Amino acid sequence: MRKPALALTLFLLVSFLSSAQETKPAPRTTYSPVPVNAAREPNPVKSTPESIAEGKKIYGYDCAQCHGDTGQSKTDVAKKLEIPDLTNPALLKNRTDGELFYILKNGHGGMPSEGDRVKPEQLWDLVNYVRSLARKQPTAAH
Ligand code: HEC
């Protein structure tokens, strides 16, 4: 009974491999739920040049590897994960700052969470920086 067992193992392996290949990243769920309270949370950090600069620094450490230095998400990883272009003003126009804060803190779809890696103020700085990306290229030309 060794041969059938081997055949079965091979069959399982092959079907596992092919199913793994077919697995595409989940479609972007623009409205995946953010708790209402979190979405309504006002941004306590003003979008000053200092805040944006601080956000930019953290972005360089924790976000640029996927979203690219400019936020246009043209990295190889971005293509694989279908990462959205952060400079596209349409992307976040329906998001509140509270929603962005929640998404950055907890992750979203294929995006990992920042969790407790940074302080809340720094996460708000990041929110301010991400907002500034869409403002800089109003036509999202590329
Ligand atoms: C591992 C790669 C990866 C890293 C690192 C990453 N992201 Fe993302 N990001 C993604 C993917 C994938 C999506 C699309 C996920 C989705 O919306 O379902 C996304 C979506 C987003 C969105 C859009 C969310 C929305 O409203 O739909 C924003 C804003 C964003 N990322 C900002 C950031 C910031 C800021 C950081 C750094 C703290 C970061 N990302 C780090 C992969 C990444």
Side-chain angles (χ1 to χ4, degrees), residues 7-95:
L8 183 65
T9 310
L10 277 177
F11 172 75
L12 287 177
L13 189 68
V14 167
S15 46
F16 168 75
L17 286 179
S18 51
S19 72
Q21 255 173 6
E22 277 159 28
T23 314
K24 291 216 174 90
R28 224 172 71 71
T29 45
T30 313
Y31 291 103
S32 80
V34 172
V36 175
N37 283 352
R40 289 196 183 142
E41 179 132 351
N43 185 342
V45 178
K46 268 202 163 168
S47 184
T48 58
E50 291 75 28
S51 165
I52 290 173
E54 178 64 22
K56 184 173 182 173
K57 208 170 75 189
I58 304 164
Y59 180 93
Y61 300 142
D62 291 343
C63 320
Q65 75 267 35
C66 283
H67 288 280
D69 288 339
T70 61
Q72 286 174 311
S73 305
K74 286 187 169 166
T75 60
D76 286 344
V77 182
K79 274 179 223 134
K80 269 196 218 117
L81 294 180
E82 299 180 8
I83 302 185
D85 178 359
L86 298 181
T87 65
N88 175 1
L91 178 71
L92 300 175
K93 78 172 192 308
N94 295 323
R95 289 257 187 243

